[in-house]
Amino acid sequence: MLIMPPFQREGHGCELLTRVFADLRDQRSVVDITVEDPSDGFSSLRDYIDAKNCSTLPSFQPPSIHQPFNSAMAEEARVQLCINKLQSRRVYEILRLYHTDMTDAAARRSYRLMVKQRLNRPFQKEQSDITKLKEKNALTGPELAAMVAANPLEERHQYLRVQYDALLEVYTKILLRLGPLK
Protein backbone atom coordinates (compact mmCIF):
# COMPACT_ATOMS: atom_id res chain seq x y z
CA MET A 1 0.00 0.00 0.00
CA LEU A 2 1.45 3.34 -0.99
CA ILE A 3 0.02 6.78 -0.41
CA MET A 4 1.98 9.42 -2.31
CA PRO A 5 3.61 12.11 -0.10
CA PRO A 6 1.31 15.01 -1.06
CA PHE A 7 -1.67 12.96 0.11
CA GLN A 8 -0.20 11.55 3.32
CA ARG A 9 -1.51 12.57 6.76
CA GLU A 10 -4.99 13.21 5.35
CA GLY A 11 -6.61 9.95 6.44
CA HIS A 12 -6.40 8.23 3.05
CA GLY A 13 -4.22 5.38 4.33
CA CYS A 14 -6.55 4.75 7.25
CA GLU A 15 -9.62 4.75 5.04
CA LEU A 16 -8.00 2.49 2.44
CA LEU A 17 -6.71 -0.02 5.00
CA THR A 18 -10.04 -0.03 6.84
CA ARG A 19 -11.88 -0.86 3.62
CA VAL A 20 -9.34 -3.52 2.59
CA PHE A 21 -9.67 -5.20 6.01
CA ALA A 22 -13.47 -5.03 5.85
CA ASP A 23 -13.50 -6.58 2.37
CA LEU A 24 -11.12 -9.35 3.42
CA ARG A 25 -13.08 -10.13 6.60
CA ASP A 26 -16.21 -10.67 4.52
CA GLN A 27 -14.52 -13.51 2.61
CA ARG A 28 -14.99 -16.83 4.40
CA SER A 29 -11.67 -18.15 3.11
CA VAL A 30 -9.71 -15.42 4.96
CA VAL A 31 -8.65 -16.53 8.41
CA ASP A 32 -5.89 -14.07 9.21
CA ILE A 33 -4.68 -10.78 7.77
CA THR A 34 -0.93 -10.33 8.09
CA VAL A 35 1.59 -7.95 6.59
CA GLU A 36 5.08 -9.03 5.63
CA ASP A 37 7.77 -6.64 6.89
CA PRO A 38 5.60 -3.58 7.58
CA SER A 39 7.14 -0.14 8.05
CA ASP A 40 6.82 1.60 11.42
CA GLY A 41 4.22 3.96 9.98
CA PHE A 42 2.16 1.10 8.61
CA SER A 43 2.43 -0.78 11.92
CA SER A 44 1.12 2.28 13.78
CA LEU A 45 -1.74 2.62 11.30
CA ARG A 46 -2.60 -1.05 11.69
CA ASP A 47 -2.44 -0.80 15.49
CA TYR A 48 -4.79 2.18 15.38
CA ILE A 49 -7.33 0.45 13.11
CA ASP A 50 -7.18 -2.83 15.02
CA ALA A 51 -7.50 -1.05 18.38
CA LYS A 52 -10.49 0.90 17.10
CA ASN A 53 -12.14 -2.29 15.82
CA CYS A 54 -11.29 -4.42 18.86
CA SER A 55 -12.60 -1.74 21.23
CA THR A 56 -16.11 -2.83 20.21
CA LEU A 57 -15.53 -6.48 21.17
CA PRO A 58 -16.67 -7.57 24.66
CA SER A 59 -13.31 -9.20 25.47
CA PHE A 60 -11.52 -5.91 24.91
CA GLN A 61 -13.80 -3.82 27.14
CA PRO A 62 -13.99 -3.53 30.93
CA PRO A 63 -14.07 -5.62 33.01
CA SER A 64 -12.54 -8.25 30.69
CA ILE A 65 -9.71 -5.96 29.55
CA HIS A 66 -8.34 -5.87 33.10
CA GLN A 67 -7.91 -9.64 33.13
CA PRO A 68 -4.75 -11.26 31.73
CA PHE A 69 -4.70 -11.75 27.96
CA ASN A 70 -6.18 -15.16 27.15
CA SER A 71 -7.07 -17.47 24.30
CA ALA A 72 -10.73 -16.36 24.35
CA MET A 73 -9.64 -12.79 23.58
CA ALA A 74 -7.36 -13.97 20.79
CA GLU A 75 -10.10 -16.19 19.37
CA GLU A 76 -12.71 -13.43 19.42
CA ALA A 77 -10.34 -11.06 17.59
CA ARG A 78 -9.46 -13.80 15.08
CA VAL A 79 -13.04 -14.83 14.36
CA GLN A 80 -14.59 -11.35 14.30
CA LEU A 81 -11.73 -9.32 12.79
CA CYS A 82 -9.21 -11.82 11.30
CA ILE A 83 -6.50 -10.56 13.66
CA ASN A 84 -3.72 -13.00 14.54
CA LYS A 85 -2.77 -13.79 18.13
CA LEU A 86 0.36 -11.61 18.23
CA GLN A 87 -1.49 -8.59 16.89
CA SER A 88 -4.46 -9.15 19.19
CA ARG A 89 -2.03 -9.25 22.15
CA ARG A 90 -0.56 -5.94 21.04
CA VAL A 91 -4.04 -4.42 20.68
CA TYR A 92 -4.95 -5.82 24.10
CA GLU A 93 -1.99 -3.95 25.60
CA ILE A 94 -3.03 -0.73 23.84
CA LEU A 95 -6.65 -0.97 25.00
CA ARG A 96 -5.66 -2.06 28.48
CA LEU A 97 -3.52 1.08 28.69
CA TYR A 98 -6.56 3.09 27.57
CA HIS A 99 -8.60 1.64 30.45
CA THR A 100 -5.80 1.90 33.04
CA ASP A 101 -5.67 4.88 35.38
CA MET A 102 -1.97 5.71 35.08
CA THR A 103 -2.26 8.16 37.99
CA ASP A 104 -3.00 5.18 40.25
CA ALA A 105 0.39 3.73 41.28
CA ALA A 106 -0.96 0.19 41.72
CA ALA A 107 -2.72 0.19 38.35
CA ARG A 108 0.32 1.67 36.62
CA ARG A 109 2.59 -0.96 38.22
CA SER A 110 0.24 -3.79 37.24
CA TYR A 111 0.22 -2.61 33.63
CA ARG A 112 4.00 -2.17 33.50
CA LEU A 113 4.64 -5.63 34.94
CA MET A 114 2.18 -7.22 32.50
CA VAL A 115 3.97 -5.69 29.49
CA LYS A 116 7.45 -6.42 30.86
CA GLN A 117 6.48 -10.02 31.52
CA ARG A 118 5.73 -10.42 27.80
CA LEU A 119 8.93 -8.64 26.84
CA ASN A 120 10.91 -10.91 29.18
CA ARG A 121 9.69 -14.19 27.62
CA PRO A 122 12.65 -14.58 25.22
CA PHE A 123 15.05 -14.28 28.17
CA GLN A 124 13.04 -16.84 30.15
CA LYS A 125 13.16 -19.26 27.21
CA GLU A 126 16.91 -18.78 26.95
CA GLN A 127 17.30 -19.53 30.67
CA SER A 128 15.16 -22.63 30.26
CA ASP A 129 17.33 -23.78 27.36
CA ILE A 130 20.49 -23.24 29.41
CA THR A 131 19.01 -25.25 32.27
CA LYS A 132 18.15 -28.12 29.94
CA LEU A 133 21.65 -28.09 28.46
CA LYS A 134 23.13 -28.14 31.99
CA GLU A 135 21.01 -31.14 32.94
CA LYS A 136 22.16 -33.02 29.85
CA ASN A 137 25.79 -32.06 30.51
CA ALA A 138 25.85 -30.73 26.94
CA LEU A 139 27.90 -27.68 27.87
CA THR A 140 31.43 -27.59 29.24
CA GLY A 141 32.52 -25.13 31.91
CA PRO A 142 33.71 -22.32 29.57
CA GLU A 143 30.71 -22.70 27.21
CA LEU A 144 28.29 -22.66 30.12
CA ALA A 145 29.97 -19.63 31.68
CA ALA A 146 29.82 -17.77 28.35
CA MET A 147 26.09 -18.48 27.93
CA VAL A 148 25.27 -17.47 31.50
CA ALA A 149 27.34 -14.27 31.21
CA ALA A 150 25.76 -13.35 27.86
CA ASN A 151 22.81 -11.55 29.48
CA PRO A 152 23.61 -10.17 32.92
CA LEU A 153 20.54 -9.38 35.00
CA GLU A 154 21.18 -5.62 35.09
CA GLU A 155 21.52 -5.48 31.29
CA ARG A 156 18.26 -7.39 30.93
CA HIS A 157 16.49 -4.99 33.31
CA GLN A 158 17.86 -2.01 31.37
CA TYR A 159 16.73 -3.56 28.08
CA LEU A 160 13.22 -4.16 29.49
CA ARG A 161 13.01 -0.56 30.75
CA VAL A 162 14.00 0.84 27.35
CA GLN A 163 11.62 -1.48 25.47
CA TYR A 164 8.73 -0.70 27.84
CA ASP A 165 9.29 3.06 27.55
CA ALA A 166 9.39 2.83 23.74
CA LEU A 167 6.18 0.78 23.64
CA LEU A 168 4.45 3.16 26.04
CA GLU A 169 5.33 6.06 23.74
CA VAL A 170 3.98 4.25 20.67
CA TYR A 171 0.82 3.11 22.47
CA THR A 172 0.19 6.61 23.84
CA LYS A 173 0.35 8.12 20.34
CA ILE A 174 -2.18 5.54 19.14
CA LEU A 175 -4.48 6.30 22.08
CA LEU A 176 -4.27 10.04 21.43
CA ARG A 177 -5.37 9.38 17.87
CA LEU A 178 -8.19 7.09 19.01
CA GLY A 179 -9.65 9.69 21.32
CA PRO A 180 -12.70 8.76 23.38
CA LEU A 181 -14.01 5.27 22.66
CA LYS A 182 -17.73 4.64 22.26
Side-chain angles (χ1 to χ4, degrees), residues 70-105:
N70 58 57
S71 58
M73 292 173 170
E75 183 66 10
E76 183 177 25
R78 186 191 66 75
V79 169
Q80 297 293 320
L81 303 170
C82 297
I83 298 174
N84 67 49
K85 186 175 182 177
L86 290 176
Q87 180 66 8
S88 64
R89 170 62 193 235
R90 187 171 169 89
V91 169
Y92 161 80
E93 290 176 1
I94 293 167
L95 293 175
R96 176 140 179 212
L97 176 61
Y98 179 85
H99 292 288
T100 298
D101 179 3
M102 295 302 270
T103 62
D104 178 354

Short mmCIF file of all heavy atoms in Angstrom, two decimals, residues 70-105:
data_model
loop_
_atom_site.label_atom_id
_atom_site.label_comp_id
_atom_site.label_asym_id
_atom_site.label_seq_id
_atom_site.Cartn_x
_atom_site.Cartn_y
_atom_site.Cartn_z
N ASN A 70 -5.92 -13.73 27.19
CA ASN A 70 -6.18 -15.16 27.15
C ASN A 70 -6.61 -15.61 25.76
O ASN A 70 -6.82 -14.79 24.87
CB ASN A 70 -7.22 -15.53 28.21
CG ASN A 70 -8.52 -14.79 28.02
OD1 ASN A 70 -9.14 -14.85 26.97
ND2 ASN A 70 -8.93 -14.04 29.05
N SER A 71 -6.74 -16.91 25.61
CA SER A 71 -7.07 -17.47 24.30
C SER A 71 -8.47 -17.06 23.83
O SER A 71 -8.70 -16.95 22.63
CB SER A 71 -6.94 -18.99 24.33
OG SER A 71 -7.78 -19.53 25.31
N ALA A 72 -9.38 -16.80 24.75
CA ALA A 72 -10.73 -16.36 24.35
C ALA A 72 -10.67 -14.99 23.68
O ALA A 72 -11.37 -14.73 22.69
CB ALA A 72 -11.66 -16.32 25.56
N MET A 73 -9.82 -14.11 24.19
CA MET A 73 -9.64 -12.79 23.58
C MET A 73 -9.05 -12.94 22.18
O MET A 73 -9.52 -12.31 21.22
CB MET A 73 -8.72 -11.92 24.43
CG MET A 73 -9.28 -11.51 25.75
SD MET A 73 -8.00 -10.67 26.71
CE MET A 73 -8.99 -10.05 28.05
N ALA A 74 -8.02 -13.75 22.08
CA ALA A 74 -7.36 -13.97 20.79
C ALA A 74 -8.34 -14.58 19.79
O ALA A 74 -8.37 -14.18 18.63
CB ALA A 74 -6.14 -14.87 20.96
N GLU A 75 -9.14 -15.51 20.26
CA GLU A 75 -10.10 -16.19 19.37
C GLU A 75 -11.19 -15.23 18.91
O GLU A 75 -11.57 -15.23 17.74
CB GLU A 75 -10.71 -17.40 20.09
CG GLU A 75 -11.65 -18.20 19.24
CD GLU A 75 -10.99 -18.91 18.06
OE1 GLU A 75 -9.75 -18.94 17.98
OE2 GLU A 75 -11.73 -19.42 17.21
N GLU A 76 -11.68 -14.39 19.80
CA GLU A 76 -12.71 -13.43 19.42
C GLU A 76 -12.17 -12.45 18.37
O GLU A 76 -12.84 -12.17 17.37
CB GLU A 76 -13.22 -12.65 20.64
CG GLU A 76 -14.35 -11.69 20.30
CD GLU A 76 -14.92 -10.96 21.49
OE1 GLU A 76 -14.19 -10.78 22.50
OE2 GLU A 76 -16.07 -10.54 21.40
N ALA A 77 -10.94 -11.98 18.56
CA ALA A 77 -10.34 -11.06 17.59
C ALA A 77 -10.10 -11.78 16.26
O ALA A 77 -10.27 -11.18 15.19
CB ALA A 77 -9.03 -10.51 18.13
N ARG A 78 -9.71 -13.04 16.32
CA ARG A 78 -9.46 -13.80 15.08
C ARG A 78 -10.76 -14.04 14.31
O ARG A 78 -10.83 -13.79 13.11
CB ARG A 78 -8.79 -15.14 15.39
CG ARG A 78 -8.37 -15.90 14.13
CD ARG A 78 -7.94 -17.32 14.43
NE ARG A 78 -9.03 -18.15 14.91
CZ ARG A 78 -10.01 -18.65 14.14
NH1 ARG A 78 -10.05 -18.38 12.86
NH2 ARG A 78 -10.96 -19.40 14.65
N VAL A 79 -11.77 -14.50 15.02
CA VAL A 79 -13.04 -14.83 14.36
C VAL A 79 -13.75 -13.58 13.85
O VAL A 79 -14.22 -13.54 12.71
CB VAL A 79 -13.96 -15.63 15.33
CG1 VAL A 79 -15.36 -15.76 14.78
CG2 VAL A 79 -13.36 -16.99 15.61
N GLN A 80 -13.83 -12.54 14.67
CA GLN A 80 -14.59 -11.35 14.30
C GLN A 80 -13.83 -10.42 13.34
O GLN A 80 -14.44 -9.80 12.48
CB GLN A 80 -14.95 -10.54 15.55
CG GLN A 80 -15.86 -11.28 16.51
CD GLN A 80 -17.24 -11.52 15.94
OE1 GLN A 80 -17.80 -10.65 15.28
NE2 GLN A 80 -17.79 -12.70 16.18
N LEU A 81 -12.48 -10.34 13.52
CA LEU A 81 -11.73 -9.32 12.79
C LEU A 81 -10.53 -9.86 12.01
O LEU A 81 -9.77 -9.07 11.44
CB LEU A 81 -11.24 -8.24 13.76
CG LEU A 81 -12.35 -7.54 14.56
CD1 LEU A 81 -11.75 -6.67 15.66
CD2 LEU A 81 -13.22 -6.71 13.64
N CYS A 82 -10.35 -11.18 12.00
CA CYS A 82 -9.21 -11.82 11.30
C CYS A 82 -7.87 -11.28 11.78
O CYS A 82 -6.95 -11.06 10.99
CB CYS A 82 -9.34 -11.65 9.79
SG CYS A 82 -10.79 -12.43 9.08
N ILE A 83 -7.74 -11.06 13.08
CA ILE A 83 -6.50 -10.56 13.66
C ILE A 83 -5.77 -11.74 14.30
O ILE A 83 -6.36 -12.48 15.08
CB ILE A 83 -6.79 -9.46 14.71
CG1 ILE A 83 -7.47 -8.27 14.04
CG2 ILE A 83 -5.52 -9.05 15.42
CD1 ILE A 83 -7.93 -7.20 15.01
N ASN A 84 -4.48 -11.88 13.98
CA ASN A 84 -3.72 -13.00 14.54
C ASN A 84 -3.43 -12.78 16.03
O ASN A 84 -3.61 -11.68 16.56
CB ASN A 84 -2.44 -13.26 13.74
CG ASN A 84 -1.45 -12.13 13.85
OD1 ASN A 84 -1.12 -11.66 14.91
ND2 ASN A 84 -0.95 -11.69 12.70
N LYS A 85 -2.96 -13.83 16.68
CA LYS A 85 -2.77 -13.79 18.13
C LYS A 85 -1.76 -12.73 18.56
O LYS A 85 -1.99 -12.03 19.55
CB LYS A 85 -2.34 -15.17 18.63
CG LYS A 85 -2.27 -15.27 20.13
CD LYS A 85 -1.96 -16.67 20.60
CE LYS A 85 -1.94 -16.72 22.11
NZ LYS A 85 -1.72 -18.07 22.61
N LEU A 86 -0.65 -12.61 17.86
CA LEU A 86 0.36 -11.61 18.23
C LEU A 86 -0.19 -10.19 18.13
O LEU A 86 0.04 -9.36 19.01
CB LEU A 86 1.61 -11.75 17.37
CG LEU A 86 2.46 -12.98 17.62
CD1 LEU A 86 3.61 -13.05 16.62
CD2 LEU A 86 2.98 -13.01 19.03
N GLN A 87 -0.92 -9.92 17.06
CA GLN A 87 -1.49 -8.59 16.89
C GLN A 87 -2.60 -8.34 17.91
O GLN A 87 -2.72 -7.24 18.43
CB GLN A 87 -2.01 -8.39 15.45
CG GLN A 87 -2.63 -7.04 15.18
CD GLN A 87 -1.64 -5.88 15.24
OE1 GLN A 87 -0.44 -6.07 15.36
NE2 GLN A 87 -2.16 -4.66 15.17
N SER A 88 -3.39 -9.36 18.20
CA SER A 88 -4.46 -9.15 19.19
C SER A 88 -3.87 -8.91 20.57
O SER A 88 -4.42 -8.13 21.36
CB SER A 88 -5.45 -10.32 19.20
OG SER A 88 -4.85 -11.51 19.58
N ARG A 89 -2.71 -9.51 20.87
CA ARG A 89 -2.03 -9.25 22.15
C ARG A 89 -1.56 -7.80 22.19
O ARG A 89 -1.69 -7.12 23.20
CB ARG A 89 -0.84 -10.21 22.32
CG ARG A 89 0.08 -9.90 23.49
CD ARG A 89 -0.66 -10.00 24.81
NE ARG A 89 0.10 -9.41 25.89
CZ ARG A 89 0.42 -10.05 27.00
NH1 ARG A 89 0.04 -11.30 27.18
NH2 ARG A 89 1.09 -9.45 27.94
N ARG A 90 -1.02 -7.33 21.10
CA ARG A 90 -0.56 -5.94 21.04
C ARG A 90 -1.74 -4.98 21.22
O ARG A 90 -1.65 -4.00 21.97
CB ARG A 90 0.14 -5.71 19.70
CG ARG A 90 0.81 -4.39 19.56
CD ARG A 90 1.65 -4.36 18.28
NE ARG A 90 2.11 -3.04 17.96
CZ ARG A 90 3.24 -2.50 18.40
NH1 ARG A 90 4.04 -3.19 19.17
NH2 ARG A 90 3.58 -1.27 18.05
N VAL A 91 -2.84 -5.26 20.55
CA VAL A 91 -4.04 -4.42 20.68
C VAL A 91 -4.59 -4.49 22.10
O VAL A 91 -5.03 -3.48 22.66
CB VAL A 91 -5.11 -4.85 19.65
CG1 VAL A 91 -6.43 -4.19 19.91
CG2 VAL A 91 -4.63 -4.53 18.24
N TYR A 92 -4.54 -5.66 22.70
CA TYR A 92 -4.95 -5.82 24.10
C TYR A 92 -4.15 -4.86 24.99
O TYR A 92 -4.71 -4.18 25.85
CB TYR A 92 -4.76 -7.27 24.54
CG TYR A 92 -4.73 -7.47 26.03
CD1 TYR A 92 -5.89 -7.50 26.78
CD2 TYR A 92 -3.52 -7.61 26.70
CE1 TYR A 92 -5.86 -7.67 28.15
CE2 TYR A 92 -3.47 -7.78 28.07
CZ TYR A 92 -4.64 -7.81 28.80
OH TYR A 92 -4.59 -7.97 30.15
N GLU A 93 -2.83 -4.83 24.79
CA GLU A 93 -1.99 -3.95 25.60
C GLU A 93 -2.35 -2.48 25.38
O GLU A 93 -2.37 -1.69 26.32
CB GLU A 93 -0.51 -4.19 25.30
CG GLU A 93 -0.01 -5.52 25.80
CD GLU A 93 1.43 -5.83 25.41
OE1 GLU A 93 2.09 -4.98 24.76
OE2 GLU A 93 1.90 -6.91 25.77
N ILE A 94 -2.64 -2.11 24.15
CA ILE A 94 -3.03 -0.73 23.84
C ILE A 94 -4.34 -0.38 24.53
O ILE A 94 -4.46 0.65 25.20
CB ILE A 94 -3.15 -0.53 22.31
CG1 ILE A 94 -1.77 -0.65 21.65
CG2 ILE A 94 -3.80 0.82 21.98
CD1 ILE A 94 -1.82 -0.78 20.14
N LEU A 95 -5.33 -1.25 24.40
CA LEU A 95 -6.65 -0.97 25.00
C LEU A 95 -6.63 -1.11 26.52
O LEU A 95 -7.36 -0.40 27.22
CB LEU A 95 -7.72 -1.87 24.37
CG LEU A 95 -8.00 -1.56 22.90
CD1 LEU A 95 -8.98 -2.57 22.32
CD2 LEU A 95 -8.51 -0.14 22.73
N ARG A 96 -5.78 -1.98 27.02
CA ARG A 96 -5.66 -2.06 28.48
C ARG A 96 -5.06 -0.77 29.01
O ARG A 96 -5.47 -0.27 30.04
CB ARG A 96 -4.82 -3.26 28.89
CG ARG A 96 -4.60 -3.31 30.39
CD ARG A 96 -4.66 -4.66 30.98
NE ARG A 96 -4.41 -4.58 32.40
CZ ARG A 96 -3.82 -5.51 33.08
NH1 ARG A 96 -3.44 -6.63 32.49
NH2 ARG A 96 -3.63 -5.38 34.37
N LEU A 97 -4.08 -0.21 28.29
CA LEU A 97 -3.52 1.08 28.69
C LEU A 97 -4.61 2.15 28.68
O LEU A 97 -4.70 2.97 29.59
CB LEU A 97 -2.38 1.47 27.75
CG LEU A 97 -1.75 2.85 27.98
CD1 LEU A 97 -1.15 2.95 29.38
CD2 LEU A 97 -0.69 3.12 26.92
N TYR A 98 -5.46 2.12 27.66
CA TYR A 98 -6.56 3.09 27.57
C TYR A 98 -7.45 3.02 28.82
O TYR A 98 -7.89 4.06 29.32
CB TYR A 98 -7.40 2.80 26.33
CG TYR A 98 -8.58 3.73 26.17
CD1 TYR A 98 -8.42 4.96 25.55
CD2 TYR A 98 -9.84 3.37 26.64
CE1 TYR A 98 -9.50 5.82 25.42
CE2 TYR A 98 -10.91 4.23 26.51
CZ TYR A 98 -10.74 5.45 25.90
OH TYR A 98 -11.81 6.30 25.78
N HIS A 99 -7.70 1.82 29.31
CA HIS A 99 -8.60 1.64 30.45
C HIS A 99 -7.86 1.59 31.79
O HIS A 99 -8.48 1.26 32.81
CB HIS A 99 -9.41 0.35 30.27
CG HIS A 99 -10.39 0.44 29.14
ND1 HIS A 99 -11.54 1.20 29.19
CD2 HIS A 99 -10.40 -0.14 27.91
CE1 HIS A 99 -12.21 1.09 28.05
NE2 HIS A 99 -11.53 0.29 27.26
N THR A 100 -6.57 1.91 31.80
CA THR A 100 -5.80 1.90 33.04
C THR A 100 -5.60 3.34 33.51
O THR A 100 -5.17 4.20 32.74
CB THR A 100 -4.42 1.24 32.82
OG1 THR A 100 -4.62 -0.12 32.42
CG2 THR A 100 -3.58 1.27 34.08
N ASP A 101 -5.89 3.57 34.77
CA ASP A 101 -5.67 4.88 35.38
C ASP A 101 -4.19 4.98 35.73
O ASP A 101 -3.75 4.45 36.75
CB ASP A 101 -6.54 5.04 36.62
CG ASP A 101 -6.35 6.37 37.33
OD1 ASP A 101 -5.58 7.22 36.82
OD2 ASP A 101 -6.97 6.55 38.40
N MET A 102 -3.42 5.65 34.88
CA MET A 102 -1.97 5.71 35.08
C MET A 102 -1.59 6.66 36.22
O MET A 102 -0.41 6.73 36.58
CB MET A 102 -1.27 6.11 33.78
CG MET A 102 -1.41 5.07 32.68
SD MET A 102 -0.78 3.43 33.12
CE MET A 102 0.91 3.59 32.58
N THR A 103 -2.55 7.36 36.80
CA THR A 103 -2.26 8.16 37.99
C THR A 103 -2.32 7.31 39.25
O THR A 103 -1.83 7.72 40.29
CB THR A 103 -3.23 9.35 38.13
OG1 THR A 103 -4.56 8.86 38.28
CG2 THR A 103 -3.14 10.27 36.91
N ASP A 104 -2.92 6.12 39.14
CA ASP A 104 -3.00 5.18 40.25
C ASP A 104 -1.74 4.31 40.22
O ASP A 104 -1.51 3.55 39.27
CB ASP A 104 -4.25 4.31 40.09
CG ASP A 104 -4.41 3.26 41.16
OD1 ASP A 104 -3.50 3.09 42.00
OD2 ASP A 104 -5.45 2.57 41.16
N ALA A 105 -0.90 4.42 41.25
CA ALA A 105 0.39 3.73 41.28
C ALA A 105 0.23 2.21 41.14
O ALA A 105 1.00 1.57 40.42
CB ALA A 105 1.15 4.06 42.56
#
